[in-house]
Amino acid sequence: MRLSEVDIVDTITPADFKTHYYLPKRPLVIRDLAKSWPAYDKWNWDYFKTLVGDKKVGLYNNIKSDAYTPINTADDYKTFGDYIDMIRTGPAAWRIFLFNIFEHAPQLTKDFTWPDELMSGFVKRYPMLFVGGATSITHMHFDIDMSHILHTQFVGRKKVLLFPFEEQYKLYRKPFEVLSLADFSHYHHQNGSPDYDQFPALKLAQGFDVTLEHGDTLFMPAGYWHHMEYLDSGFAMSLRAMQSSVSGKLKGVWNLFGMRNIDTLMKKTVPHPWYHWKKKKIFEHAEKALRKEG
């Protein structure tokens, strides 16, 4: 993979952000954006356990879904308090996906401010918390609604691998899905993935690599592919903003109500032919990308 470092700034003016990152869709880490929020010092495991420790949450393991694995179906359930106790004791490859903690503890919304000065279109009903134990993995995907994301890390460190949407065929995107067929697990280790023999086009994929620490806010432009690995047990919050263009909004609507429903229907009615057709297309697109770049 051809990886570059993500630009990192302490602060940035709205004009510079729009010109150099928002409009060209280039990722950025802003270190001081969250430092003025009460959440920066206030949010920790004990505080969350006090507020929502009794709430049952779905847990997800590191097993990468295959063609016949239900998407976004929890692998286990625990109370949030029991889950916190588990991941505090050491490496635990379990994560919580899209936990809307703010529904259970709405007072938390007073602990941060929406950065409307940077962009418009924030979906303010749905800030989301992402929690993971050390060694847990969020596999390579792009967000189905094609929104811009400001992802702030509060506890622990996290490795993030990023690619523009246009790299989809080099990443072996599954047709009618937001997922990659390739496995990027432990990509930053010498003996980690991916398998370049099986997925040679990955060598040409141009992307970014960054490690997020406490207080870092990552701007992920709409449609960006991302793969995340928790180096420590930790949590982050994502603030989502819809694209300003009509075409961008329509892409998200199509993905949610067209593409996903077609894929679900085909998996239910003709799962094996559908799977084989998609796998054939994945490698055809990758071969074409390889030939294009010579």
Side-chain angles (χ1 to χ4, degrees):
M1 298 181 288
R2 301 171 178 175
L3 302 180
S4 302
E5 294 181 357
V6 175
D7 290 348
I8 298 175
V9 298
D10 291 329
T11 61
I12 191 168
T13 66
D16 283 345
F17 175 76
K18 183 176 182 179
T19 300
H20 300 295
Y21 300 98
Y22 182 82
L23 291 179
K25 292 188 176 181
R26 185 176 177 86
L28 173 70
V29 170
I30 310 173
R31 282 189 165 148
D32 292 350
L33 181 68
K35 283 189 176 178
S36 62
W37 298 349
Y40 181 81
D41 295 310
K42 188 176 179 181
W43 288 6
N44 55 48
W45 298 125
D46 290 329
Y47 183 52
F48 281 173
K49 190 174 179 180
T50 300
L51 291 177
V52 295
D54 62 331
K55 303 302 179 184
K56 184 170 285 189
V57 293
L59 306 183
Y60 298 78
N61 60 32
N62 280 353
I63 297 174
K64 193 175 186 299
S65 64
D66 58 27
Y68 311 108
T69 303
I71 301 298
N72 297 341
T73 300
D75 301 295
D76 196 4
Y77 291 89
K78 286 184 181 291
T79 66
F80 194 48
D82 288 342
Y83 171 73
I84 288 173
D85 291 341
M86 176 181 68
I87 66 174
R88 268 179 155 179
T89 60
W94 292 93
R95 62 186 177 86
I96 298 175
F97 173 67
L98 290 178
F99 177 39
N100 195 340
I101 191 174
F102 306 96
E103 285 187 351
H104 307 291
Q107 64 268 39
L108 291 173
T109 60
K110 298 178 181 178
D111 291 340
F112 66 91
T113 55
W114 294 85
D116 295 306
E117 70 280 4
L118 293 182
M119 63 179 114
S120 60
F122 281 108
V123 185
K124 296 188 177 181
R125 287 184 59 192
Y126 297 106
M128 288 292 176
L129 196 72
F130 294 84
V131 188
T135 72
S136 62
I137 294 172
T138 303
H139 291 284
M140 184 68 75
H141 70 287
F142 67 90
D143 289 351
I144 194 167
D145 63 355
M146 300 293 283
S147 58
H148 299 293
I149 306 294
L150 287 175
H151 186 79
T152 300
Q153 189 72 21
F154 284 100
V155 169
R157 297 168 302 143
K158 182 188 294 174
K159 288 283 290 183
V160 184
L161 184 60
L162 296 157
F163 293 94
F165 180 78
E166 293 73 23
E167 299 293 279
Q168 60 178 323
Y169 297 135
K170 299 173 193 171
L171 298 177
Y172 295 82
R173 177 191 173 179
K174 300 179 183 180
F176 290 87
E177 296 188 42
V178 300
L179 304 171
S180 167
L181 182 65
D183 187 355
F184 295 81
S185 300
H186 314 301
Y187 72 94
H188 47 92
H189 294 307
Q190 185 176 357
N191 297 320
S193 299
D195 183 344
Y196 290 119
D197 292 331
Q198 186 178 3
F199 304 107
L202 291 178
K203 293 181 180 180
L204 304 179
Q206 298 188 50
F208 300 89
D209 182 31
V210 67
T211 300
L212 300 180
E213 300 186 1
H214 175 65
D216 288 346
T217 297
L218 171 64
F219 168 60
M220 285 193 295
Y224 252 70
W225 291 83
H226 47 285
H227 171 95
M228 298 183 172
E229 300 194 4
Y230 290 77
L231 301 179
D232 312 302
S233 295
F235 63 86
M237 177 182 67
S238 281
L239 305 180
R240 316 178 73 82
M242 300 303 293
Q243 295 188 61
S244 57
S245 68
V246 173
S247 62
K249 291 183 176 71
L250 288 176
K251 287 177 184 176
V253 171
W254 158 251
N255 288 349
L256 283 164
F257 301 106
M259 181 186 77
R260 184 164 65 177
N261 287 338
I262 291 171
D263 189 54
T264 299
L265 176 64
M266 297 299 283
K267 282 180 176 176
K268 288 181 178 179
T269 56
V270 286
H272 295 287
W274 184 238
Y275 167 73
H276 291 299
W277 176 83
K278 289 205 289 187
K279 192 168 185 179
K280 178 185 176 187
K281 286 296 181 183
I282 290 170
F283 286 96
E284 284 180 356
H285 288 144
E287 283 297 322
K288 187 176 179 179
L290 280 168
R291 290 195 302 268
K292 185 177 180 181
E293 298 209 12

